[in-house]
Coordinates of all heavy atoms in Angstrom, one line a residue:
Chain Y
R104 N -8.7 22.3 18.6 CA -8.1 21.8 19.8 C -8.9 22.3 21.1 O -9.6 23.3 21.1 CB -6.7 22.5 19.9 CG -5.6 21.6 19.5 CD -4.3 22.3 19.4 NE -4.1 23.2 20.5 CZ -3.0 24.0 20.6 NH1 -2.1 23.9 19.7 NH2 -2.8 24.8 21.6
D106 N -8.8 23.9 24.1 CA -9.1 25.2 24.6 C -9.7 26.2 23.6 O -10.4 27.1 24.0 CB -7.7 25.8 25.2 CG -7.1 24.9 26.2 OD1 -7.7 24.8 27.3 OD2 -6.1 24.2 25.9
L109 N -13.2 25.6 23.6 CA -13.8 26.2 24.8 C -14.1 27.7 24.6 O -15.2 28.1 24.9 CB -12.7 26.1 26.0 CG -13.1 26.3 27.4 CD1 -13.8 25.0 27.8 CD2 -12.0 26.5 28.3
I110 N -13.2 28.4 24.0 CA -13.5 29.8 23.8 C -14.5 30.0 22.8 O -15.4 31.0 22.8 CB -12.2 30.6 23.6 CG1 -12.4 32.1 23.6 CG2 -11.6 30.3 22.2 CD1 -12.7 32.7 24.9
N125 N -31.3 41.5 21.6 CA -31.6 42.5 20.5 C -32.8 42.1 19.7 O -33.1 42.6 18.6 CB -30.4 42.5 19.5 CG -29.3 43.4 20.1 OD1 -29.5 44.4 20.6 ND2 -28.1 42.9 20.1
D190 N -7.8 10.9 20.9 CA -8.5 11.0 19.6 C -7.6 10.7 18.4 O -8.1 10.2 17.4 CB -9.3 12.3 19.5 CG -8.4 13.5 19.6 OD1 -7.2 13.3 19.9 OD2 -8.9 14.6 19.4
M237 N -22.6 32.5 32.9 CA -22.4 32.0 34.2 C -23.1 30.6 34.4 O -22.6 29.7 35.0 CB -23.0 33.0 35.2 CG -22.6 32.8 36.6 SD -20.8 32.8 36.8 CE -20.7 31.7 38.2
M278 N -22.0 34.1 47.3 CA -21.3 33.7 46.1 C -19.8 33.7 46.4 O -19.1 32.9 45.7 CB -21.6 34.8 45.0 CG -22.9 34.6 44.3 SD -23.3 32.9 43.8 CE -22.3 32.9 42.3
L279 N -19.3 34.4 47.4 CA -17.9 34.4 47.8 C -17.6 33.0 48.2 O -16.6 32.4 47.8 CB -17.7 35.4 48.9 CG -16.3 35.6 49.3 CD1 -15.6 36.7 48.5 CD2 -16.2 36.0 50.8
P293 N -9.4 16.4 42.5 CA -9.2 16.8 41.0 C -9.6 15.7 40.1 O -9.9 16.1 38.9 CB -7.7 17.0 41.0 CG -7.1 16.4 42.2 CD -8.1 16.3 43.2
Chain P
Y29 N -0.8 30.7 30.0 CA -1.1 29.6 29.2 C 0.2 28.9 28.7 O 0.3 27.7 28.6 CB -2.0 30.0 28.1 CG -2.6 28.8 27.4 CD1 -3.7 28.1 27.8 CD2 -1.9 28.2 26.3 CE1 -4.2 27.0 27.2 CE2 -2.3 27.0 25.7 CZ -3.5 26.4 26.2 OH -3.9 25.3 25.6
R100 N -6.4 18.7 33.6 CA -6.3 20.2 33.2 C -7.7 20.9 33.5 O -7.7 22.0 33.8 CB -6.0 20.3 31.8 CG -4.6 19.9 31.5 CD -4.2 20.1 30.1 NE -4.6 21.4 29.6 CZ -5.1 21.6 28.5 NH1 -5.4 20.7 27.7 NH2 -5.5 22.8 28.1
S102 N -9.8 20.4 35.8 CA -10.0 20.8 37.3 C -9.4 22.1 37.6 O -10.0 22.9 38.3 CB -9.3 19.7 38.1 OG -9.9 18.4 37.8
I112 N -15.0 33.9 40.6 CA -16.2 34.2 41.3 C -15.9 34.8 42.7 O -16.5 35.8 43.2 CB -17.1 33.0 41.4 CG1 -17.6 32.5 40.1 CG2 -18.3 33.2 42.3 CD1 -18.3 31.2 40.1
F236 N -9.0 37.4 26.7 CA -8.8 36.0 26.4 C -9.0 35.7 24.9 O -8.3 35.0 24.3 CB -9.6 35.1 27.3 CG -9.3 33.7 27.1 CD1 -8.1 33.2 27.3 CD2 -10.3 32.8 26.7 CE1 -7.8 31.8 27.2 CE2 -10.1 31.5 26.5 CZ -8.8 31.0 26.8
T297 N 0.7 23.0 15.1 CA 1.0 21.8 15.8 C 0.0 20.8 15.5 O -1.0 21.1 14.8 CB 0.9 22.1 17.4 OG1 -0.4 22.6 17.6 CG2 2.0 23.0 17.8
D299 N -3.2 18.4 16.0 CA -4.5 18.8 16.6 C -4.7 18.4 18.1 O -5.6 18.8 18.7 CB -5.6 18.3 15.7 CG -5.9 19.3 14.6 OD1 -5.4 20.4 14.7 OD2 -6.8 19.0 13.8
K300 N -3.8 17.6 18.5 CA -4.0 17.0 19.8 C -3.2 17.8 20.9 O -2.0 18.2 20.6 CB -3.5 15.5 19.8 CG -3.5 14.9 21.1 CD -4.6 13.9 21.3 CE -4.5 13.2 22.6 NZ -5.4 13.8 23.6
L301 N -3.7 18.0 22.0 CA -3.0 18.7 23.1 C -2.4 17.6 24.0 O -3.1 16.8 24.5 CB -3.9 19.5 23.9 CG -3.9 21.0 23.6 CD1 -4.8 21.8 24.4 CD2 -2.5 21.6 23.7

Side-chain angles (χ1 to χ4, degrees):
Chain Y
R104 260 171 42 179
D106 300 291
L109 198 76
I110 189 73
N125 284 315
D190 57 355
M237 200 52 214
M278 286 309 282
L279 187 86
Chain P
Y29 191 90
R100 291 183 47 222
S102 304
I112 296 172
F236 182 59
T297 53
D299 272 353
K300 174 104 176 98
L301 260 179

